[in-house]
Amino acid sequence: MSKADLFRALHHGRLPGDPLVLPGPWDAAAARVFEEAGFPALATPSAGVAASLGYADGRTPAGEMFAAVARIVRAVDVPVSADIEGGYGLAPRELVERLLETGAVGCNLEDSVDGVLRDPHEQADRLAAVREAAGGRLFVNARVDTFAHGDGDPSDAIARAAAYVAAGADCVYPIGAPPTVLPLLRAGIAGPLNAGGRVDGEGPSPAVLGGLGATRVTFGPGFQRFAAAALRAVGAELL
């Protein structure tokens, strides 16, 4: 079984309360820590990688992002999915080729640009083209930005998700969706559903999110920011 097939299989047959938990390594060292902890797969956060490279979120040049993902993939044996934001303006075939060159087995693709939602039909067409070019070699997680950059209407999120699943997306991620809305989204969305978790203990645990309907839980740049805060505290104490 290929790593892509293994990664895809991890999303299916999961029981309520037992979502796939995917921590977000921002560099090779963090990836090794998570692998050694026993996680079966990882998902890079674009904002965390950007911070590690000295860029603001959304401002990492494509070449540097792909190079960073490749270093993370090389450092571990478990499957790695990559957050590639909106795709850096690359045509679907080139985007897929560059992702596969890194060794990643999956990707996140946003449906907004500079905080403005894309037309869902155009985004669905783009996802279909990515899926066709990948030929099953990439797990496509379609981000739905209704709660992050839209009006937060669950019906719009469900409609977008349905279009993306029909286009071939393996999973959908309504980023920023309140946990209380997850059961409604679960009822209206076919296939795996990604929810956002927190590492500061302020939000529901992954098990609770799974019970509400999440198939998998990712954390965005949460781990990188947690590590940065710990370093900041150590540095302040030293001074």
Side-chain angles (χ1 to χ4, degrees), residues 49-139:
V49 173
S52 75
L53 297 174
Y55 293 103
D57 185 19
R59 295 292 179 261
T60 309
E64 293 197 45
M65 182 63 76
F66 287 124
V69 170
R71 289 192 292 272
I72 290 169
V73 171
R74 284 198 303 269
V76 294
D77 291 326
V78 297
V80 177
S81 182
D83 183 348
I84 52 170
E85 302 175 296
Y88 308 108
L90 299 174
R93 186 163 297 280
E94 181 181 359
L95 182 63
V96 167
E97 289 174 353
R98 295 188 70 173
L99 264 172
L100 291 175
E101 286 173 356
T102 70
V105 301
C107 65
N108 278 18
L109 277 172
E110 302 171 1
D111 71 344
S112 64
V113 179
D114 294 329
V116 178
L117 289 171
R118 290 179 181 268
D119 177 87
H121 303 294
E122 292 178 359
Q123 179 69 357
D125 289 344
R126 180 168 172 76
L127 289 168
V130 168
R131 178 74 178 188
E132 181 179 6
R137 294 172 293 174
L138 288 173
F139 183 98

Side-chain angles (χ1 to χ4, degrees), residues 163-200:
Y164 302 161
V165 170
D170 294 283
C171 182
V172 292
Y173 180 18
I175 190 171
T180 53
V181 179
L182 285 177
L184 178 61
L185 297 177
R186 175 70 286 166
I189 294 174
L193 177 65
N194 192 150
R198 297 182 63 165
V199 301
D200 58 7

